[in-house]
Amino acid sequence: MTETSGKEGQYARKAVDWSNAEYADAHAYLAHRAQLIATLGVALDPGDEVLDLACGDGGLGEHLLARGLRYAGVDAEPAMVGAARRRLGSRAVVGVGDLNTFVPPTPVAATTVFRAIYYAHDRAAFFARTARFSERKLVFDLNPRQYRVADVVAELEEAGYGRIVLHPFFVPQTQRLPGPVVALAKLAEHTGPLARLVLRARFTYLVAACR
Ligand SMILES: C[S@@+](CC[C@H](N)C(=O)[O-])C[C@H]1O[C@@H](n2cnc3c(N)ncnc32)[C@H](O)[C@@H]1O
C-alpha cells in the first residue's frame, strides 16, 4: 500500500486547504469551536497551551491563537502537518504523531481532538493517557447517534476527569448560514431538552472533560 492510498491517503489528498474545503463557513464554525474550547467547563487563560491531536491543517489553531492561547498540533498525516506548518509558521509547533501514543514533552492546559476520536484504538486508554498530561481539560466532539454518551462519560470518569460538560454544537459544518441565523443556532444550543431532541437527528456534542 502506498503512502497516499487507502484510508489514510484520503487525508494526504485533501490536506491542501482542508479547512476551507471541509467547512462551508470555516470562520464561523472554527471560531465557535475555539470559543467553547476556551470557556466550556473550566476557562483557559491567555498563554495557556492547547495540544490539538489530529489537528489537520491547523485551521482551529488560527482561532485559538487569536484568543491569546498557545497552540501545538499533532497529526498522523505528514501532508496535513505540512499544511498546518505553512498556515501557522512560527506561531505554533506542529509535528507528525499518532494520537494513540503521543505524549507532549511537558503537560498542557488542554488537549483537543476533533472529528478523530474514532481513531483511538482503545478509547478508555486514550482518555487515561490524555488525563495524565492535560492539566485542566480534554475537549472533543461526540456524535450521540454513533456512541452511547453514558459509556463515554463513564470512561472519562474512570480516567480521572471529575466533571464532564456536554454542550450541543449547532453551527453546521456543510451549510453556510447568514450571520443572524448562526447567532440563533448558537442560542438554540442552550435550550436543554429541545437541543437534545435536535441531537437525535443531527449535530454533535462538544464535550469538556475537566480535571
Ligand atoms: C476528519 S480529519 C479532522 C481534522 C481536524 N481535527 C478538524 O476537525 O478539521 C481527521 C484527521 O485525523 C488525522 N488522523 C487520523 N488518524 C490519526 C492518528 N492515529 N493520529 C493522529 N492523527 C490522525 C488525519 O490525518 C486527519 O487530519
Side-chain angles (χ1 to χ4, degrees), residues 11 18 23 33 54 56 75-77 80 97-99 114-115 119:
Y11 293 120
W18 164 266
Y23 301 102
R33 187 191 272 176
D75 198 282
E77 172 49 58
M80 283 292 194
D98 185 336
L99 61 79
F114 281 97
R115 298 179 56 205
Y119 291 119

Side-chain angles (χ1 to χ4, degrees), residues 19-175:
S19 289
N20 284 327
E22 207 51 25
Y23 301 102
D25 185 344
H27 186 276
Y29 188 97
L30 295 174
H32 187 43
R33 187 191 272 176
Q35 183 239 325
L36 289 170
I37 291 167
T39 59
L40 194 65
V42 57
L44 298 179
D45 301 313
D48 281 343
E49 185 173 17
V50 178
L51 169 65
D52 189 19
L53 296 175
C55 65
D57 71 345
L60 174 63
E62 290 284 5
H63 298 273
L64 294 172
L65 289 167
R67 292 183 157 271
L69 297 164
R70 289 181 295 137
Y71 179 80
V74 167
D75 198 282
E77 172 49 58
M80 283 292 194
V81 170
R85 285 180 175 159
R86 281 192 297 280
R87 172 193 286 278
L88 300 171
S90 62
R91 294 179 295 153
V93 178
V94 184
V96 176
D98 185 336
L99 61 79
N100 290 288
T101 52
F102 184 80
V103 174
T106 54
V108 295
T111 299
T112 59
V113 54
F114 281 97
R115 298 179 56 205
I117 198 74
Y118 34 81
Y119 291 119
H121 301 320
D122 178 340
R123 200 175 55 216
F126 173 77
F127 290 156
R129 200 176 53 262
T130 57
R132 288 198 281 276
F133 59 72
S134 308
E135 290 178 332
R136 268 182 254 167
K137 58 184 172 180
L138 168 71
V139 187
F140 60 100
D141 53 348
L142 188 70
N143 180 344
R145 300 170 303 286
Q146 192 177 2
Y147 297 101
R148 274 196 63 207
V149 172
D151 291 348
V152 174
V153 168
E155 288 169 8
L156 288 165
E157 286 171 347
E158 179 66 28
Y161 291 103
R163 194 159 69 94
I164 321 297
V165 183
L166 288 108
H167 183 90
F169 188 96
F170 288 169
V171 175
Q173 184 187 328
T174 54
Q175 256 178 303

